[in-house]
Amino acid sequence: MAAVIEGLVDRQVGGDSCPHLAVLLKSYDELPQVLASFYALGAKRNGWLAHRSLPGESDMDRQRLSRAGLQVADLEAEERLAMMEIDPDGPAEGSTDRLERALDEALERGFSAAWYARFAVGPDEGAHTAFRPFEDAWDRAFSGRKVVTLCPFVIGELDAGTALERMDWLSELHDGVLLPAPDGGYVSDR
């Protein structure tokens, strides 16, 4: 996972742009390892890490990420990782305000960029569609800024046609889509 993300980031960052990536997961169980790998790469690259949890799930996400090998307590103590909650049932407008301020502060403290990810959305299409206003708000707030974004989507076990439709839809919103590979890893659509 880290190597695939690293390749996409290197291609994008070269043009002083940071990628907005989607990752398709077969189940929620895959999420902690994917996020831990993403955040570890961000930390290695002097990134400030920002994770968004569902309401009331920040502590649970800390535990999940720690079990997946991310040094959550150390990163938080160093003010390199911020855990924030977002309510996907709330308004999308204004949902990025706190992160925008935190990113500005992190860049002033010398971090190279923000590495942002969140909880997984899905697996039904309605959940993906309902979250679209938050994706749009994110794009408006962070397009062209120093933010590497990973948006996890659970797709479950879809038939090939539906999986391709979902991937096409997500490709329109993201600079790249990471797909599950037969060997258990991930590959990029680009």
Side-chain angles (χ1 to χ4, degrees):
M1 166 62 87
V4 174
I5 292 172
E6 198 162 19
L8 288 169
V9 169
D10 287 344
R11 283 196 299 273
Q12 295 281 328
V13 173
D16 205 27
S17 173
C18 292
H20 184 178
L21 308 170
V23 60
L24 304 183
L25 307 170
K26 290 182 183 176
S27 75
Y28 288 99
D29 294 340
E30 297 174 69
L31 183 63
Q33 189 60 51
V34 166
L35 293 179
S37 179
F38 174 76
Y39 289 134
L41 178 59
K44 177 180 149 187
R45 296 222 168 166
N46 190 38
W48 173 73
L49 315 174
H51 177 75
R52 282 210 162 154
S53 301
L54 290 168
E57 292 191 11
S58 290
D59 287 337
M60 197 173 353
D61 283 349
R62 281 183 182 92
Q63 292 170 9
R64 290 175 185 140
L65 290 169
S66 294
R67 282 194 302 269
L70 188 68
Q71 303 299 314
V72 172
D74 293 344
L75 291 166
E76 283 187 306
E78 296 167 6
E79 297 184 9
R80 293 191 61 139
L81 170 64
M83 303 288 284
M84 303 174 186
E85 295 186 356
I86 181 174
D87 184 357
D89 293 327
E93 292 307 315
S95 64
T96 63
D97 293 350
R98 182 175 172 210
L99 275 166
E100 288 179 81
R101 289 189 303 273
L103 170 62
D104 291 337
E105 292 168 8
L107 292 173
E108 287 174 16
R109 291 192 329 256
F111 291 103
S112 61
W115 286 63
Y116 163 85
R118 58 164 168 72
F119 55 90
V121 174
D124 63 346
E125 186 176 352
H128 293 197
T129 303
F131 201 73
R132 174 76 188 256
F134 289 91
E135 291 278 332
D136 292 340
W138 184 262
D139 277 343
R140 284 191 300 278
F142 294 104
S143 179
R145 300 214 42 210
K146 293 184 179 266
V147 180
V148 179
T149 306
L150 184 67
C151 300
F153 293 91
V154 174
I155 59 168
E157 296 293 333
L158 298 177
D159 63 82
T162 305
L164 286 172
E165 287 174 12
R166 191 79 49 89
M167 189 183 83
D168 286 344
W169 181 76
L170 289 172
S171 289
E172 293 173 14
L173 303 172
H174 299 88
D175 299 317
V177 179
L178 304 173
L179 311 163
D183 66 1
Y186 289 84
V187 295
S188 170
D189 71 333
R190 308 240 152 80

